[in-house]
């Protein structure tokens, strides 16, 4: 790939986002339980022997913790556009 992005957000931000998604769908949520599930998945994905989840050395880091979807997209687009030859 010409440009690689490693998109991340804090555990708390991801749990809050998932809880909002569930609420919009009309489902109840327990943000602490969602946070625990995400933490367990992160540990499993980053520690697996085959293709562990990790940032490539040449990937741009995009931390979306404090970004809304439109701002995150614009940041990604700027990174991709800025990295093209």
């Amino acid at each position: 790939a010409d440009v690689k992005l490693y998109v991340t957000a804090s555990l708390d931000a991801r749990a809050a986002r998932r809880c909002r998604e569930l609420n919009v769908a009309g489902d109840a949520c327990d943000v602490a339980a969602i946070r625990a599930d995400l933490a367990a998945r992160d540990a499993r994905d980053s520690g697996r022997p085959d293709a562990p989840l990790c940032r490539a050395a040449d990937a741009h880091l995009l931390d979306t913790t404090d970004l809304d979807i439109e701002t995150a997209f614009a940041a990604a687009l700027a990174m991709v556009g800025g990295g093209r030859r």
Side-chain angles (χ1 to χ4, degrees), residues 5-72:
L5 299 179
Y6 185 83
V7 181
T8 190
S10 73
L11 191 55
D12 289 333
R14 291 184 295 131
R17 289 173 185 164
R18 181 65 181 139
C19 196
R20 280 193 301 273
E21 289 174 353
L22 291 170
N23 286 331
V24 166
D27 297 325
C29 73
D30 176 351
V31 74
I34 291 171
R35 187 182 191 288
D37 287 345
L38 289 172
R41 186 185 71 187
D42 288 352
R44 191 172 53 248
D45 288 349
S46 60
R48 63 184 175 226
D50 294 322
L53 177 64
C54 61
R55 178 181 172 192
D58 59 343
H60 296 277
L61 177 64
L62 176 55
D63 186 340
T64 65
T65 298
D66 297 317
L67 305 179
D68 62 21
I69 188 72
E70 292 84 12
T71 308

